[in-house]
Every structure is written in C-alpha cells, then in structure tokens.
Amino acid sequence: MVRRQSIDLSGLARSVAAELQAGHTTHRVRVVVQDGLVAVADAGLVRLLLQNLLGNAFKFTRPSAEPTVEVSAEVSPAGELVYRVRDNGVGFDASRSEELFGPFCRLHGAGEFPGDGIGLATVQRIVRRHRGRIWAESAPGSGAAFFWTLSPASVDPVPQDIRRDSDARPHGGAEPALVGAQ
C-alpha cells in the first residue's frame, strides 16, 4: 500500500546523498540538489528510489575526474512535473535503455561495476506504484540521466522556482552543495 504524504524531495535527496557519500570516503562526488522539490508520495518508497538512482550515479561516476550528480525537476511542455537524476559518469548505449529496467539486466560487466541488476527494476516498480513513468537518456562516456514522473495526485502544486528549461543549476544563484565529509 502506498502511503502518500507531502515530502521534501530536495531534503530527502540531500539526506540520501550524504549517506552514500559517507560510505564512499575515497570517491568524493559533487552533488547538486535543486531547492524546492516536493511531492505527495510514499516517503519510504521515494527514499528507496533515490537510494537506487543516486547509488547508481555514485557508482558509475567512479572513473570521472570530477564526479557530479544532479537532482532536479522541470515542467514539461505538457505541464507535467518531471524529476531527474543526472550524472557525468560512464553512460551507456541509449539504444539499450529499455533493458535497464528489467530485473537482473546489466549493461556493464559485474567485474567493471558491482551490483545485482535489480536496482532499476525496483525504481520502475516504485514509479509505477505511484502511477508514473520512468525513462533514461545516455551515451557512452557522456553520463546518464534518469527521468520520472508521479501521478498528478502525487505532485504538490509546482513550486514557482521550478523553471521550464533543462538547466539543472540550483535556483536563486545558490552555489552547488558538496555532500559528505570534507
């Protein structure tokens, strides 16, 4: 059963990123989280969604000289609020993006990047339980972006500061926050 409540998605993303950074003391990741992200959703399920998406972003940015992960949202031309986790990691062949969400499917070898191949299948199930959809965009060597929506009943009114463009910089001119130990 999905237990919907208003959640501070920005705060939740920062919390999950801090937990991940604490577990990766040798792999420092710059995390930029847009302020003002909110949703009416199951907080526990959305935390699990963020743990999987951010965990993958941390993992696949390991080879990057300056690993960066961004969490943001924008309003689509159709008026739908679309959330996004984007990284500058190794990326993947976009022609295989449909395979990403199958259980035990992996686009990278287990020796290259550890994992069991169920994280994105879990994320897809969470999004579907919220009557939303999820998709990914990427290219090898160019990072990856994962987009998802929640049902209109799951989204608070769109905050005024969420722009209709694809710029993932924090709003209000704020500097990106580094998450984790110094």
Side-chain angles (χ1 to χ4, degrees):
M1 181 168 146
V2 176
R3 296 177 190 217
R4 297 181 193 278
Q5 62 186 30
S6 182
I7 57 173
D8 172 3
L9 199 67
S10 296
L12 189 56
R14 287 184 182 103
S15 172
V16 168
E19 291 167 8
L20 288 166
Q21 190 64 67
H24 292 90
T25 57
T26 60
H27 176 61
R28 182 119 174 99
V29 177
R30 178 176 170 254
V31 178
V32 180
V33 176
Q34 180 179 333
D35 290 328
L37 300 178
V38 294
V40 176
D42 187 299
L45 291 176
V46 172
R47 173 177 279 283
L48 184 57
L49 175 146
L50 289 169
Q51 286 170 333
N52 280 289
L53 289 178
L54 292 174
N56 277 354
F58 270 58
K59 177 177 21 179
F60 292 108
T61 59
R62 198 173 7 163
S64 301
E66 295 182 26
T68 303
V69 175
E70 300 169 349
V71 180
S72 61
E74 66 186 27
V75 178
S76 74
E80 184 177 43
L81 185 58
V82 179
Y83 300 96
R84 173 181 56 216
V85 169
R86 179 172 47 196
D87 66 60
N88 67 341
V90 298
F92 59 87
D93 180 354
S95 69
R96 298 183 63 200
S97 64
E98 289 301 314
E99 297 174 44
L100 287 172
F101 301 104
F104 308 110
C105 290
R106 300 177 48 91
L107 300 186
H108 299 281
E112 243 183 317
F113 297 98
D116 52 22
I118 61 168
L120 291 177
T122 300
V123 166
Q124 184 180 56
R125 289 190 70 194
I126 291 168
V127 169
R128 285 182 175 168
R129 289 197 63 191
H130 284 86
R131 295 187 317 276
R133 56 195 175 85
I134 187 165
W135 65 99
E137 296 175 1
S138 184
S142 298
F146 287 84
F147 303 86
W148 75 96
T149 64
L150 301 171
S151 70
S154 300
V155 178
D156 276 344
V158 178
Q160 293 292 352
D161 63 342
I162 295 180
R163 298 178 291 184
R164 291 181 181 263
D165 62 27
S166 60
D167 187 3
R169 287 187 309 257
H171 299 285
E175 288 297 312
L178 288 177
V179 177
Q182 294 291 339

